[in-house]
């Protein structure tokens, strides 16, 4: 059963609350919250977080990708997202916080085989645009490591 979403619902599907609870060997561990899932998705690395988010966007079909998934192993399975039901809760309204850091990621586009959007570092009340998934990951890493030596960082 496909989920019927309004424009607000589509936008909400592309917003994710990221709670980083621990950093082990310079890699983040934590939880992901979306407006349409009751339980968080747990991740043990930034790469796992990225894959969980990519799978979520594929399942919710928003934002739509401009490139089709290709693999030597065959096609990627397509599953329908869970019905949103009556428990819709905007990511911004959740009271969840990460022990190390909290981010709200809004992926607006998935073009050129990457992501574009905004990331909000909730703890520092800073928002930054990103033009690729790599840039987004560097912003998260920079916030967690408090280093800005590569030119990609949090601006005032």
């Amino acid at each position: 059963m496909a989920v019927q979403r309004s424009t607000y619902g589509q936008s909400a599907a592309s917003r994710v609350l990221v709670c980083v609870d621990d950093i082990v060997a310079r890699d983040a561990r934590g939880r992901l919250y979306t407006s349409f899932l009751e339980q968080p998705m747990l991740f043990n690395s930034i790469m796992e977080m990225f894959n969980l988010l990519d799978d979520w966007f594929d399942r919710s079909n928003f934002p739509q990708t401009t490139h089709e998934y290709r693999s030597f192993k065959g096609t990627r399975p397509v599953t329908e997202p869970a019905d949103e039901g009556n428990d819709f809760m905007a990511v911004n309204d959740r009271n969840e916080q990460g022990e190390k850091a909290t981010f709200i990621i809004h992926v607006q586009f998935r073009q050129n085989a990457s992501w574009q959007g905004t990331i909000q570092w909730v703890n520092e009340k800073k928002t930054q645009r990103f033009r690729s998934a790599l840039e987004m990951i560097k912003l998260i890493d920079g916030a967690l490591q408090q280093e800005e030596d590569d030119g990609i960082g949090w601006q005032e």
Side-chain angles (χ1 to χ4, degrees), residues 46-56 76 115:
I46 292 288
M47 192 64 199
E48 187 177 359
M49 178 196 79
F50 183 82
N51 286 331
L52 286 169
L53 288 174
D54 204 37
D55 288 343
W56 167 251
R76 190 176 208 173
W115 300 352

Side-chain angles (χ1 to χ4, degrees), residues 22-34:
D22 198 12
I23 301 170
V24 177
R26 278 195 67 146
D27 216 345
R29 294 182 180 181
R31 301 162 280 141
L32 301 173
Y33 293 91
T34 72

Side-chain angles (χ1 to χ4, degrees), residues 7-88:
T7 303
Y8 176 76
Q10 287 180 330
S11 178
S14 66
R15 289 182 195 271
V16 179
L17 180 67
V18 178
C19 297
V20 177
D21 294 322
D22 198 12
I23 301 170
V24 177
R26 278 195 67 146
D27 216 345
R29 294 182 180 181
R31 301 162 280 141
L32 301 173
Y33 293 91
T34 72
S35 298
F36 300 98
L37 298 176
E38 290 182 24
Q39 299 298 318
M41 295 180 278
L42 305 177
F43 63 91
N44 290 310
S45 69
I46 292 288
M47 192 64 199
E48 187 177 359
M49 178 196 79
F50 183 82
N51 286 331
L52 286 169
L53 288 174
D54 204 37
D55 288 343
W56 167 251
F57 297 143
D58 286 345
R59 287 186 312 171
S60 62
N61 199 29
F62 192 82
Q64 292 182 340
T65 183
T66 58
H67 289 81
E68 193 171 316
Y69 179 78
R70 295 186 293 178
S71 170
F72 291 112
K73 297 179 183 179
T75 60
R76 190 176 208 173
V78 177
T79 58
E80 294 293 331
D83 189 359
E84 64 187 79
N86 296 325
D87 293 332
F88 177 82

